[in-house]
């Protein structure tokens, strides 16, 4: 049975499972409005997840067919996956920030083979060994879009504009742009008194930006046709400070559980990333490729126990941290190195 939590004030959450993922579930929020319920995120595109979402909505006293709109915090499939099915069943609109909507369009327009080729090239440049590249090269020639999840995400039909109130009749929900986890990640500030009168300023639907016990992945989201060098970790740290200044009475995240004292959690995350950057500088006393750096970084398990897909994510995170160090003038690329290596300065 679906697990539903009533957070008061016309807000409930449904624990929608993520198959074969240690996160376990996505918290999909159901917000009452004068035009009908609106969902914040939808969960993973999977039959069991869809069934759980439908059961949860029934437990909330509504149905999928009655959903008025869907607000997406970011494009990842555990948040955006079921949006298309919800829209088909209800006629609901789907809203997303323009930067993530651009990723959705690019994903739909590019053939999976091109994406695998791009990933193989990126990982080659990061110093990945041949045994890691071989499966990507094989997938490039054998993949079929119909068998690959996440390659046909639903196109949004409304844009979330940072700083503006969303068109939710009877509610005050303001979009806060918080790039880092993805370029178009948004938090949503419910500018209404807390139903239990907790001190602070309203409630914050934080997506993956601010979680109570884990840190979100900060990796690279780049357009294969765009040579701009991004700084996602710098974006994330700036976004964290912006959210901390909101000082919401309660944070309603997309994973784990609701919590209070957002400024304290923000400080913990800022310290965590500064300590990590300092640790990487020690590792970079010797020139290393991003792959070599990822091998030496601390993760939630030893490197030889990290599965294939997670290693790719880890290398992306390592490179995001290196880019931050380069931008701060604390590291630099070694001229002429191929694959590129970085060293502390």
């Amino acid at each position: 049975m679906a697990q539903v939590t009533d957070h008061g004030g016309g807000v409930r959450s449904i624990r929608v499972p993520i198959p074969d993922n240690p996160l376990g579930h996505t918290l999909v929020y159901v917000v009452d409005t004068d035009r009908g319920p609106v969902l914040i995120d939808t969960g993973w595109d999977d039959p069991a997840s869809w069934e759980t979402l439908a059961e949860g909505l029934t437990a909330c006293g509504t149905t999928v067919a009655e959903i008025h709109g869907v607000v997406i915090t970011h494009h990842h499939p555990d948040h955006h996956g079921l949006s298309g099915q919800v829209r088909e069943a209800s006629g609901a609109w789907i809203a997303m920030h323009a930067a993530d909507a651009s990723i959705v369009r690019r994903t739909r327009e590019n053939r999976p083979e091109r994406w695998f080729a791009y990933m193989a090239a990126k990982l080659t440049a990061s110093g990945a060994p041949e045994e890691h590249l071989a499966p990507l090269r094989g997938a490039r020639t054998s993949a079929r879009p119909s068998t690959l999840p996440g390659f046909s995400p639903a196109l949004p039909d409304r844009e979330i504009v940072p700083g503006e109130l969303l068109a939710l009749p009877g509610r005050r929900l303001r979009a806060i742009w918080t790039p880092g986890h993805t370029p178009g990640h948004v938090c949503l500030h419910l500018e209404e008194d807390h139903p239990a009168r907790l001190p602070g300023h309203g409630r914050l639907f934080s997506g993956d930006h601010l979680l109570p016990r884990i840190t979100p992945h900060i990796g690279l989201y780049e357009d294969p046709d765009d040579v701009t060098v991004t700084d996602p970790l710098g974006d994330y740290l700036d976004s964290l400070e912006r959210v901390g200044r909101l000082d919401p009475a309660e944070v309603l995240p997309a994973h784990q559980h609701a919590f209070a004292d957002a400024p304290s959690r923000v400080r913990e995350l800022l310290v965590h990333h500064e300590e990590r950057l300092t640790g990487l500088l020690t590792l970079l006393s010797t020139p290393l490729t991003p792959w070599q750096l990822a091998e030496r970084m601390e993760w939630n398990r030893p490197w030889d126990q990290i599965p294939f897909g997670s290693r790719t994510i880890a290398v992306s995170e390592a490179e995001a941290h290196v880019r931050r160090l380069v931008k701060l003038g604390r590291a630099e690329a070694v001229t002429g190195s191929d694959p590129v290596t970085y060293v502390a300065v």
Side-chain angles (χ1 to χ4, degrees):
M1 293 295 293
Q3 297 186 47
V4 175
T5 300
D6 190 343
H7 299 276
V11 176
R12 293 169 293 273
S13 63
I14 305 169
R15 291 165 61 105
V16 177
I18 311 171
D20 303 317
N21 189 294
L23 278 175
H25 63 271
T26 301
L27 291 172
V28 173
Y29 290 94
V30 186
V31 180
D32 292 340
T33 80
D34 291 346
R35 291 284 300 277
V38 167
L39 300 184
I40 296 178
D41 293 332
T42 58
W44 190 275
D45 184 5
D46 177 80
S49 303
W50 173 256
E51 183 178 347
T52 300
L53 178 63
E55 290 177 353
L57 289 170
T58 298
C60 291
T62 187
T63 66
V64 176
E66 295 175 359
I67 299 303
H68 172 58
V70 176
V71 182
I72 299 299
T73 60
H74 61 296
H75 73 87
H76 285 167
D78 55 323
H79 298 257
H80 182 42
L82 289 172
S83 300
Q85 285 182 250
V86 171
R87 180 166 59 190
E88 288 174 9
S90 64
W93 46 261
I94 300 173
M96 183 183 290
H97 186 281
D100 272 22
S102 176
I103 293 173
V104 168
R105 283 193 297 273
R106 193 163 67 239
T107 301
R108 291 172 61 93
E109 292 167 1
N110 286 333
R111 294 179 61 82
E113 305 93 283
R114 184 169 187 261
W115 174 249
F116 286 121
Y118 171 70
M119 286 300 300
K122 286 288 295 180
L123 285 163
T124 299
S126 76
E130 179 56 34
E131 60 264 26
H132 189 83
L133 298 169
L136 282 171
R137 294 193 175 113
R140 183 175 61 192
T141 58
S142 64
R144 295 291 180 271
S146 61
T147 64
L148 294 168
F151 273 90
S152 296
L155 282 170
D157 37 47
R158 290 191 182 184
E159 180 179 337
I160 296 175
V161 179
E164 291 191 2
L165 290 171
L166 279 77
L168 305 188
R171 310 306 299 245
R172 288 188 59 85
L173 189 67
R174 192 176 303 277
I176 311 297
W177 185 34
T178 50
H181 183 57
T182 72
H185 191 291
V186 293
C187 292
L188 301 154
H189 190 202
L190 191 59
E191 298 177 340
E192 302 169 9
D193 290 339
H194 191 280
R197 302 298 178 183
L198 296 181
H201 303 100
R203 290 182 281 182
L204 186 75
F205 298 100
S206 64
D208 282 1
H209 183 69
L210 193 61
L211 302 168
R213 296 197 307 272
I214 57 177
T215 59
H217 166 64
I218 308 299
L220 305 180
Y221 285 90
E222 297 171 309
D223 184 340
D225 299 319
D226 188 346
V227 297
T228 304
V229 178
T230 58
D231 179 21
L233 181 56
D235 293 340
Y236 177 68
L237 298 176
D238 290 344
S239 300
L240 272 180
E241 294 184 347
R242 188 159 58 251
V243 163
R245 290 192 293 269
L246 288 175
D247 193 19
E250 187 176 31
V251 178
L252 302 175
H255 303 288
Q256 300 186 316
H257 56 80
F259 63 100
D261 198 0
S264 177
R265 181 60 180 146
V266 165
R267 287 192 295 272
E268 290 175 357
L269 288 167
L270 291 172
V271 168
H272 163 78
H273 282 286
E274 182 56 38
E275 290 176 345
R276 192 162 216 192
L277 289 170
T278 300
L280 295 188
L281 283 175
T282 300
L283 293 175
L284 290 173
S285 59
T286 300
L288 296 173
T289 66
W291 181 275
Q292 292 169 330
L293 187 61
E295 286 180 312
R296 292 159 174 78
M297 290 170 67
E298 290 189 14
W299 305 104
N300 59 2
R301 68 190 90 174
W303 183 256
D304 60 5
Q305 296 177 22
I306 296 178
F308 174 88
S310 297
R311 287 190 180 191
T312 297
I313 292 171
V315 173
S316 180
E317 182 140 342
E319 189 164 353
H321 280 73
V322 168
R323 286 191 184 186
R324 185 65 189 153
L325 289 171
V326 170
K327 187 165 185 177
L328 294 171
R330 298 161 74 179
E332 64 183 11
V334 176
T335 303
S337 57
D338 184 21
V340 64
T341 59
Y342 295 87
V343 66
V345 294

